[in-house]
Amino acid sequence: MKNSFTSTYLLFSTILLILLSGCSQDKSNYRFLFVGHSYDWTNWRGDTVDDRLGKIKYSDFDGFWLGGDVCGNTSLNPKTMRSLAKQFDLKNPNSHFVLGNHDYRDNNLDFYFKATGRPDYYTSSFKNMVVSVLNTNLNSSDCENLDAQYEMLLNVCDTINEASHYVILMHHQIFKDINGLEGFKSNGACPFYSMNCSSSDTYFDTEFYPSLVGLQKKGVEVIVVVGDSGWDKGSERVSADGIKFLSSGINNSYYKGKDVDPKKLPADQVIIFDLDIEQQKLSYEFVQLNELSGTDFVEWFNDFPED
């Protein structure tokens, strides 16, 4: 059964978004930080993110987009979600938390609901941008929610009229065989992920991608962002139909304490999105986490206590 939190949220979210869209805003430019696969490998409790994220100037951003696997065991302890809510301003309507397997696996979604004030899949809008957050942990063991998530996506594609950009945030890469995406990388691709329970082959690229192509042809720029990319750091491709696919993640805390030359490690990356309201543009840039946080990587890497 679809959880009551999700049902209530989906019922009233459209009305709320309409009311919010009428609120005056002084700014014409907004910045959002996307961070994927952010957990600290050196923390055996699994309740913290990479400590370099704490050095970022948070006031530079109007929202934080967390791409999943935020902590090693994010939902094991309710204190973890409360801490993340404070650190990343999760009640902010422009902050989004995509559930990864490390966030979902302890089956304590109530902690997530309370910390974010939102369900595990939803669509929101801000000015000329629409954002859908997916829960790619859903599968045929929960057909009601899997089907509801799919219907949500179809409804968005059918009803977008004024938006210039549509952003889909997900953790797992649930697509394959899309022309132009050759060489696109993420940690764990799920090419046979079923978007709904109508059959076993309702894949993203065959069942849903044509709807995104339709939006693109209508003039709505579509961007798909994958957060499960700590090992690969980041990837960027544009499909033959003009749809942008991005992945980004961090992972270098894994190597701390190991016999590794830090100078030979590929740099962890995040993505900064810039929304220009007046020009109706959404641009993005891959940025090295060390640079953004002002971290001396070699010094940070070697700061690991010995037993």
Side-chain angles (χ1 to χ4, degrees):
M1 177 179 292
K2 191 189 304 183
N3 61 69
S4 58
F5 187 97
T6 300
S7 300
T8 303
Y9 183 92
L10 294 177
L11 179 63
F12 292 105
S13 60
T14 302
I15 298 174
L16 178 60
L17 290 170
I18 291 173
L19 292 174
L20 289 175
S21 65
C23 298
S24 62
Q25 297 287 345
D26 296 327
K27 297 172 59 173
S28 60
N29 294 86
Y30 295 83
R31 305 190 87 196
F32 310 104
L33 178 66
F34 179 88
V35 182
H37 205 269
S38 56
Y39 60 88
D40 182 358
W41 283 85
T42 68
N43 179 3
W44 62 269
R45 294 182 182 85
D47 59 0
T48 55
V49 298
D50 188 300
D51 60 2
R52 288 172 293 173
L53 293 172
K55 301 176 183 178
I56 293 172
K57 187 178 178 182
Y58 283 45
S59 60
D60 286 346
F61 301 98
D62 300 286
F64 301 93
W65 299 354
L66 305 182
D69 286 358
V70 178
C71 294
N73 296 295
T74 310
S75 61
L76 188 62
N77 187 327
K79 293 182 179 179
T80 305
M81 282 300 312
R82 289 200 293 267
S83 176
L84 292 173
K86 183 177 180 180
Q87 181 174 0
F88 294 107
D89 193 18
L90 294 182
K91 289 291 179 67
N92 178 349
N94 285 320
S95 290
H96 303 292
F97 188 139
V98 182
L99 286 167
N101 45 291
H102 281 264
D103 316 306
Y104 187 80
R105 63 186 182 183
D106 291 307
N107 199 31
N108 291 323
L109 286 187
D110 285 346
F111 301 161
Y112 170 93
F113 297 149
K114 186 173 182 179
T116 64
R118 280 169 283 191
D120 47 322
Y121 57 90
Y122 60 89
T123 295
S124 69
S125 63
F126 178 72
K127 297 299 184 178
N128 53 299
M129 178 179 66
V130 174
V131 178
S132 285
V133 171
L134 302 191
N135 180 0
T136 53
N137 299 281
L138 290 173
N139 54 50
S140 58
S141 68
D142 184 359
C143 282
E144 184 173 4
N145 279 296
L146 183 63
D147 288 346
Q149 177 173 257
Y150 179 64
E151 288 300 318
M152 175 192 76
L153 291 171
L154 293 183
N155 288 336
V156 171
C157 292
D158 287 341
T159 57
I160 286 182
N161 292 315
E162 302 299 328
S164 61
H165 291 80
Y166 181 35
V167 180
I168 302 177
L169 304 177
M170 64 180 69
H171 180 66
H172 303 94
Q173 179 186 335
I174 58 172
F175 48 84
K176 64 179 179 68
D177 297 338
I178 295 177
N179 190 13
L181 266 61
E182 295 79 10
F184 185 87
K185 293 182 179 180
S186 67
N187 286 357
C190 305
F192 301 109
Y193 180 87
S194 292
M195 298 293 293
N196 58 59
C197 286
S198 64
S199 70
S200 60
D201 58 355
T202 54
Y203 305 137
F204 181 98
D205 42 304
T206 58
E207 192 81 0
F208 177 58
Y209 180 71
S211 296
L212 297 181
V213 174
L215 277 184
Q216 192 77 20
K217 289 180 178 179
K218 286 170 54 178
V220 179
E221 184 175 344
V222 179
I223 304 176
V224 178
V225 191
V226 176
D228 193 16
S229 194
W231 300 102
D232 296 301
K233 307 306 175 191
S235 194
E236 176 185 10
R237 294 290 187 276
V238 180
S239 75
D241 300 292
I243 297 174
K244 296 181 175 66
F245 288 80
L246 313 176
S247 68
S248 180
I250 65 178
N251 202 47
N252 281 342
S253 64
Y254 169 81
Y255 298 99
K256 276 192 155 189
K258 297 180 171 63
D259 187 18
V260 177
D261 183 353
K263 296 180 180 180
K264 294 183 178 180
L265 291 174
D268 283 331
Q269 294 188 108
V270 297
I271 307 176
I272 295 177
F273 288 86
D274 285 283
L275 180 66
D276 186 325
I277 304 300
E278 294 179 354
Q279 299 298 320
Q280 292 203 332
K281 292 183 177 179
L282 179 64
S283 57
Y284 59 86
E285 178 185 10
F286 286 85
V287 178
Q288 292 189 12
L289 177 58
N290 295 319
E291 177 184 334
L292 184 65
S293 62
T295 300
D296 182 312
F297 182 65
V298 174
E299 181 179 326
W300 172 84
F301 185 86
N302 291 321
D303 184 20
F304 185 81
E306 298 292 339
D307 292 335

